[in-house]
mmCIF file of all heavy atoms in Angstrom:
data_model
loop_
_atom_site.group_PDB
_atom_site.id
_atom_site.type_symbol
_atom_site.label_atom_id
_atom_site.label_comp_id
_atom_site.label_asym_id
_atom_site.label_seq_id
_atom_site.Cartn_x
_atom_site.Cartn_y
_atom_site.Cartn_z
ATOM 1 N N GLU D 496 5.174 10.935 -8.858
ATOM 2 C CA GLU D 496 5.319 10.021 -7.731
ATOM 3 C C GLU D 496 5.204 10.794 -6.422
ATOM 4 O O GLU D 496 5.637 11.936 -6.322
ATOM 5 C CB GLU D 496 6.692 9.349 -7.822
ATOM 6 C CG GLU D 496 6.954 8.307 -6.783
ATOM 7 C CD GLU D 496 8.285 7.600 -7.007
ATOM 8 O OE1 GLU D 496 8.992 7.902 -7.984
ATOM 9 O OE2 GLU D 496 8.629 6.759 -6.172
ATOM 10 N N LYS D 497 4.605 10.175 -5.400
ATOM 11 C CA LYS D 497 4.420 10.751 -4.065
ATOM 12 C C LYS D 497 3.580 12.030 -4.105
ATOM 13 O O LYS D 497 3.910 13.017 -3.463
ATOM 14 C CB LYS D 497 5.760 10.997 -3.383
ATOM 15 C CG LYS D 497 6.532 9.716 -3.151
ATOM 16 C CD LYS D 497 7.844 9.955 -2.457
ATOM 17 C CE LYS D 497 8.569 8.630 -2.301
ATOM 18 N NZ LYS D 497 9.914 8.769 -1.865
ATOM 19 N N SER D 498 2.488 11.984 -4.859
ATOM 20 C CA SER D 498 1.599 13.131 -4.992
ATOM 21 C C SER D 498 0.373 12.989 -4.114
ATOM 22 O O SER D 498 -0.021 11.892 -3.742
ATOM 23 C CB SER D 498 1.125 13.265 -6.439
ATOM 24 O OG SER D 498 2.180 13.586 -7.284
ATOM 25 N N CYS D 499 -0.240 14.126 -3.823
ATOM 26 C CA CYS D 499 -1.512 14.163 -3.117
ATOM 27 C C CYS D 499 -2.516 14.848 -4.042
ATOM 28 O O CYS D 499 -2.242 15.947 -4.528
ATOM 29 C CB CYS D 499 -1.386 14.923 -1.801
ATOM 30 S SG CYS D 499 -2.935 14.959 -0.874
ATOM 31 N N VAL D 500 -3.626 14.185 -4.310
ATOM 32 C CA VAL D 500 -4.637 14.748 -5.193
ATOM 33 C C VAL D 500 -5.979 14.855 -4.473
ATOM 34 O O VAL D 500 -6.251 14.107 -3.533
ATOM 35 C CB VAL D 500 -4.813 13.915 -6.490
ATOM 36 C CG1 VAL D 500 -3.532 13.846 -7.278
ATOM 37 C CG2 VAL D 500 -5.327 12.517 -6.201
ATOM 38 N N ILE D 501 -6.788 15.801 -4.920
ATOM 39 C CA ILE D 501 -8.158 15.902 -4.459
ATOM 40 C C ILE D 501 -9.015 15.163 -5.475
ATOM 41 O O ILE D 501 -8.903 15.387 -6.680
ATOM 42 C CB ILE D 501 -8.630 17.354 -4.339
ATOM 43 C CG1 ILE D 501 -7.832 18.080 -3.247
ATOM 44 C CG2 ILE D 501 -10.126 17.423 -4.032
ATOM 45 C CD1 ILE D 501 -8.183 19.548 -3.107
ATOM 46 N N SER D 502 -9.862 14.289 -4.970
ATOM 47 C CA SER D 502 -10.750 13.510 -5.829
ATOM 48 C C SER D 502 -12.187 13.785 -5.425
ATOM 49 O O SER D 502 -12.496 13.872 -4.239
ATOM 50 C CB SER D 502 -10.462 12.024 -5.670
ATOM 51 O OG SER D 502 -9.113 11.750 -5.958
ATOM 52 N N THR D 503 -13.062 13.915 -6.422
ATOM 53 C CA THR D 503 -14.482 14.072 -6.138
ATOM 54 C C THR D 503 -15.127 12.697 -6.055
ATOM 55 O O THR D 503 -14.737 11.772 -6.771
ATOM 56 C CB THR D 503 -15.190 14.905 -7.224
ATOM 57 O OG1 THR D 503 -15.003 14.281 -8.489
ATOM 58 C CG2 THR D 503 -14.669 16.325 -7.254
ATOM 59 N N ARG D 504 -16.077 12.545 -5.174
ATOM 60 C CA ARG D 504 -16.793 11.271 -5.026
ATOM 61 C C ARG D 504 -17.564 10.968 -6.309
ATOM 62 O O ARG D 504 -18.099 11.860 -6.941
ATOM 63 C CB ARG D 504 -17.763 11.321 -3.866
ATOM 64 C CG ARG D 504 -17.089 11.515 -2.541
ATOM 65 C CD ARG D 504 -17.056 10.234 -1.759
ATOM 66 N NE ARG D 504 -16.320 10.463 -0.527
ATOM 67 C CZ ARG D 504 -15.433 9.627 -0.049
ATOM 68 N NH1 ARG D 504 -15.152 8.518 -0.669
ATOM 69 N NH2 ARG D 504 -14.806 9.895 1.068
ATOM 70 N N LEU D 505 -17.612 9.683 -6.653
ATOM 71 C CA LEU D 505 -18.349 9.248 -7.835
ATOM 72 C C LEU D 505 -19.687 8.659 -7.418
ATOM 73 O O LEU D 505 -19.747 7.752 -6.596
ATOM 74 C CB LEU D 505 -17.568 8.152 -8.559
ATOM 75 C CG LEU D 505 -16.688 8.586 -9.704
ATOM 76 C CD1 LEU D 505 -15.985 7.385 -10.304
ATOM 77 C CD2 LEU D 505 -17.420 9.351 -10.761
ATOM 78 N N TYR D 506 -20.724 9.192 -7.988
ATOM 79 C CA TYR D 506 -22.055 8.628 -7.835
ATOM 80 C C TYR D 506 -22.546 8.333 -9.244
ATOM 81 O O TYR D 506 -22.412 9.153 -10.146
ATOM 82 C CB TYR D 506 -22.991 9.616 -7.127
ATOM 83 C CG TYR D 506 -22.523 9.956 -5.736
ATOM 84 C CD1 TYR D 506 -21.848 11.144 -5.457
ATOM 85 C CD2 TYR D 506 -22.742 9.070 -4.695
ATOM 86 C CE1 TYR D 506 -21.412 11.430 -4.175
ATOM 87 C CE2 TYR D 506 -22.308 9.360 -3.397
ATOM 88 C CZ TYR D 506 -21.651 10.540 -3.159
ATOM 89 O OH TYR D 506 -21.208 10.824 -1.890
ATOM 90 N N ASN D 507 -23.076 7.134 -9.473
ATOM 91 C CA ASN D 507 -23.569 6.725 -10.775
ATOM 92 C C ASN D 507 -22.458 6.770 -11.829
ATOM 93 O O ASN D 507 -22.489 7.556 -12.763
ATOM 94 C CB ASN D 507 -24.764 7.592 -11.195
ATOM 95 C CG ASN D 507 -25.555 6.945 -12.308
ATOM 96 O OD1 ASN D 507 -25.222 5.847 -12.767
ATOM 97 N ND2 ASN D 507 -26.594 7.617 -12.742
ATOM 98 N N ALA D 508 -21.475 5.913 -11.651
ATOM 99 C CA ALA D 508 -20.300 5.872 -12.521
ATOM 100 C C ALA D 508 -20.663 5.687 -13.979
ATOM 101 O O ALA D 508 -19.998 6.239 -14.862
ATOM 102 C CB ALA D 508 -19.349 4.774 -12.073
ATOM 103 N N SER D 509 -21.715 4.939 -14.279
ATOM 104 C CA SER D 509 -22.067 4.685 -15.673
ATOM 105 C C SER D 509 -22.365 5.973 -16.433
ATOM 106 O O SER D 509 -22.184 6.035 -17.639
ATOM 107 C CB SER D 509 -23.252 3.722 -15.767
ATOM 108 O OG SER D 509 -24.395 4.273 -15.138
ATOM 109 N N GLU D 510 -22.782 7.008 -15.733
ATOM 110 C CA GLU D 510 -23.055 8.290 -16.376
ATOM 111 C C GLU D 510 -21.904 9.282 -16.219
ATOM 112 O O GLU D 510 -21.810 10.241 -16.977
ATOM 113 C CB GLU D 510 -24.327 8.914 -15.802
ATOM 114 C CG GLU D 510 -25.580 8.158 -16.155
ATOM 115 C CD GLU D 510 -26.821 8.818 -15.594
ATOM 116 O OE1 GLU D 510 -26.757 10.000 -15.174
ATOM 117 O OE2 GLU D 510 -27.864 8.153 -15.567
ATOM 118 N N ASN D 511 -21.030 9.068 -15.227
ATOM 119 C CA ASN D 511 -20.020 10.075 -14.901
ATOM 120 C C ASN D 511 -18.593 9.701 -15.263
ATOM 121 O O ASN D 511 -17.713 10.554 -15.191
ATOM 122 C CB ASN D 511 -20.098 10.415 -13.416
ATOM 123 C CG ASN D 511 -21.405 11.081 -13.062
ATOM 124 O OD1 ASN D 511 -21.830 11.992 -13.750
ATOM 125 N ND2 ASN D 511 -22.062 10.613 -12.023
ATOM 126 N N VAL D 512 -18.319 8.459 -15.617
ATOM 127 C CA VAL D 512 -16.960 8.061 -15.979
ATOM 128 C C VAL D 512 -16.853 8.013 -17.496
ATOM 129 O O VAL D 512 -17.657 7.367 -18.173
ATOM 130 C CB VAL D 512 -16.596 6.680 -15.382
ATOM 131 C CG1 VAL D 512 -15.238 6.224 -15.880
ATOM 132 C CG2 VAL D 512 -16.612 6.751 -13.866
ATOM 133 N N LYS D 513 -15.844 8.718 -17.994
ATOM 134 C CA LYS D 513 -15.589 8.747 -19.433
ATOM 135 C C LYS D 513 -14.212 8.153 -19.699
ATOM 136 O O LYS D 513 -13.334 8.183 -18.840
ATOM 137 C CB LYS D 513 -15.653 10.185 -19.944
ATOM 138 C CG LYS D 513 -17.023 10.824 -19.813
ATOM 139 C CD LYS D 513 -16.955 12.301 -20.191
ATOM 140 C CE LYS D 513 -18.242 13.027 -19.907
ATOM 141 N NZ LYS D 513 -18.637 13.044 -18.519
ATOM 142 N N ARG D 514 -14.048 7.649 -20.888
ATOM 143 C CA ARG D 514 -12.749 7.133 -21.311
ATOM 144 C C ARG D 514 -11.732 8.277 -21.193
ATOM 145 O O ARG D 514 -11.997 9.392 -21.650
ATOM 146 C CB ARG D 514 -12.854 6.660 -22.764
ATOM 147 C CG ARG D 514 -11.809 5.712 -23.177
ATOM 148 C CD ARG D 514 -12.050 5.203 -24.589
ATOM 149 N NE ARG D 514 -13.191 4.294 -24.640
ATOM 150 C CZ ARG D 514 -14.303 4.523 -25.318
ATOM 151 N NH1 ARG D 514 -14.457 5.641 -25.989
ATOM 152 N NH2 ARG D 514 -15.285 3.635 -25.303
ATOM 153 N N GLY D 515 -10.610 8.012 -20.556
ATOM 154 C CA GLY D 515 -9.582 9.029 -20.370
ATOM 155 C C GLY D 515 -9.591 9.688 -19.004
ATOM 156 O O GLY D 515 -8.632 10.356 -18.628
ATOM 157 N N ASP D 516 -10.680 9.523 -18.231
ATOM 158 C CA ASP D 516 -10.737 10.077 -16.870
ATOM 159 C C ASP D 516 -9.753 9.351 -15.960
ATOM 160 O O ASP D 516 -9.511 8.156 -16.121
ATOM 161 C CB ASP D 516 -12.137 9.919 -16.275
ATOM 162 C CG ASP D 516 -13.166 10.867 -16.855
ATOM 163 O OD1 ASP D 516 -12.776 11.814 -17.563
ATOM 164 O OD2 ASP D 516 -14.368 10.632 -16.609
ATOM 165 N N ILE D 517 -9.216 10.071 -14.990
ATOM 166 C CA ILE D 517 -8.356 9.462 -13.978
ATOM 167 C C ILE D 517 -9.244 9.158 -12.776
ATOM 168 O O ILE D 517 -9.834 10.047 -12.174
ATOM 169 C CB ILE D 517 -7.180 10.373 -13.604
ATOM 170 C CG1 ILE D 517 -6.318 10.620 -14.845
ATOM 171 C CG2 ILE D 517 -6.360 9.758 -12.490
ATOM 172 C CD1 ILE D 517 -5.213 11.612 -14.655
ATOM 173 N N ILE D 518 -9.324 7.867 -12.455
ATOM 174 C CA ILE D 518 -10.289 7.383 -11.474
ATOM 175 C C ILE D 518 -9.575 6.759 -10.271
ATOM 176 O O ILE D 518 -8.549 6.100 -10.419
ATOM 177 C CB ILE D 518 -11.220 6.336 -12.119
ATOM 178 C CG1 ILE D 518 -11.951 6.934 -13.334
ATOM 179 C CG2 ILE D 518 -12.216 5.763 -11.117
ATOM 180 C CD1 ILE D 518 -12.893 8.073 -13.025
ATOM 181 N N VAL D 519 -10.151 6.966 -9.092
ATOM 182 C CA VAL D 519 -9.694 6.322 -7.853
ATOM 183 C C VAL D 519 -10.630 5.145 -7.621
ATOM 184 O O VAL D 519 -11.856 5.303 -7.671
ATOM 185 C CB VAL D 519 -9.773 7.302 -6.665
ATOM 186 C CG1 VAL D 519 -9.299 6.625 -5.386
ATOM 187 C CG2 VAL D 519 -8.973 8.567 -6.946
ATOM 188 N N PHE D 520 -10.045 3.961 -7.412
ATOM 189 C CA PHE D 520 -10.873 2.772 -7.222
ATOM 190 C C PHE D 520 -10.208 1.805 -6.260
ATOM 191 O O PHE D 520 -9.012 1.900 -5.988
ATOM 192 C CB PHE D 520 -11.164 2.076 -8.561
ATOM 193 C CG PHE D 520 -9.938 1.639 -9.313
ATOM 194 C CD1 PHE D 520 -9.413 0.369 -9.157
ATOM 195 C CD2 PHE D 520 -9.301 2.505 -10.189
ATOM 196 C CE1 PHE D 520 -8.281 -0.032 -9.845
ATOM 197 C CE2 PHE D 520 -8.176 2.120 -10.887
ATOM 198 C CZ PHE D 520 -7.656 0.842 -10.714
ATOM 199 N N GLU D 521 -11.018 0.874 -5.747
ATOM 200 C CA GLU D 521 -10.543 -0.165 -4.832
ATOM 201 C C GLU D 521 -10.243 -1.423 -5.642
ATOM 202 O O GLU D 521 -11.090 -1.879 -6.398
ATOM 203 C CB GLU D 521 -11.604 -0.478 -3.779
ATOM 204 C CG GLU D 521 -12.022 0.702 -2.911
ATOM 205 C CD GLU D 521 -10.929 1.184 -2.002
ATOM 206 O OE1 GLU D 521 -10.068 0.371 -1.604
ATOM 207 O OE2 GLU D 521 -10.926 2.381 -1.676
ATOM 208 N N SER D 522 -9.045 -1.959 -5.472
ATOM 209 C CA SER D 522 -8.668 -3.212 -6.125
ATOM 210 C C SER D 522 -8.726 -4.336 -5.105
ATOM 211 O O SER D 522 -7.921 -4.375 -4.179
ATOM 212 C CB SER D 522 -7.262 -3.108 -6.724
ATOM 213 O OG SER D 522 -6.807 -4.385 -7.114
ATOM 214 N N ASP D 523 -9.677 -5.245 -5.277
ATOM 215 C CA ASP D 523 -9.760 -6.403 -4.377
ATOM 216 C C ASP D 523 -8.548 -7.308 -4.559
ATOM 217 O O ASP D 523 -8.042 -7.862 -3.597
ATOM 218 C CB ASP D 523 -11.047 -7.198 -4.637
ATOM 219 C CG ASP D 523 -12.283 -6.460 -4.147
ATOM 220 O OD1 ASP D 523 -12.133 -5.563 -3.294
ATOM 221 O OD2 ASP D 523 -13.385 -6.777 -4.632
ATOM 222 N N GLU D 524 -8.098 -7.433 -5.792
ATOM 223 C CA GLU D 524 -6.958 -8.313 -6.082
ATOM 224 C C GLU D 524 -5.698 -7.858 -5.361
ATOM 225 O O GLU D 524 -4.963 -8.665 -4.809
ATOM 226 C CB GLU D 524 -6.713 -8.354 -7.593
ATOM 227 C CG GLU D 524 -5.607 -9.287 -8.016
ATOM 228 C CD GLU D 524 -5.497 -9.405 -9.524
ATOM 229 O OE1 GLU D 524 -6.531 -9.380 -10.213
ATOM 230 O OE2 GLU D 524 -4.368 -9.524 -10.008
ATOM 231 N N LEU D 525 -5.441 -6.561 -5.363
ATOM 232 C CA LEU D 525 -4.236 -6.027 -4.727
ATOM 233 C C LEU D 525 -4.485 -5.573 -3.285
ATOM 234 O O LEU D 525 -3.545 -5.302 -2.546
ATOM 235 C CB LEU D 525 -3.676 -4.861 -5.541
ATOM 236 C CG LEU D 525 -3.300 -5.183 -6.990
ATOM 237 C CD1 LEU D 525 -2.851 -3.930 -7.715
ATOM 238 C CD2 LEU D 525 -2.231 -6.251 -7.049
#
Side-chain angles (χ1 to χ4, degrees):
E496 184 175 358
K497 297 181 182 170
S498 293
C499 181
V500 300
I501 295 177
S502 303
T503 57
R504 297 255 176 223
L505 265 180
Y506 298 101
N507 197 1
S509 61
E510 292 181 15
N511 295 313
V512 175
K513 296 173 188 61
R514 200 175 288 117
D516 286 348
I517 298 174
I518 302 296
V519 180
F520 59 92
E521 301 293 331
S522 169
D523 288 340
E524 183 174 324
L525 301 176

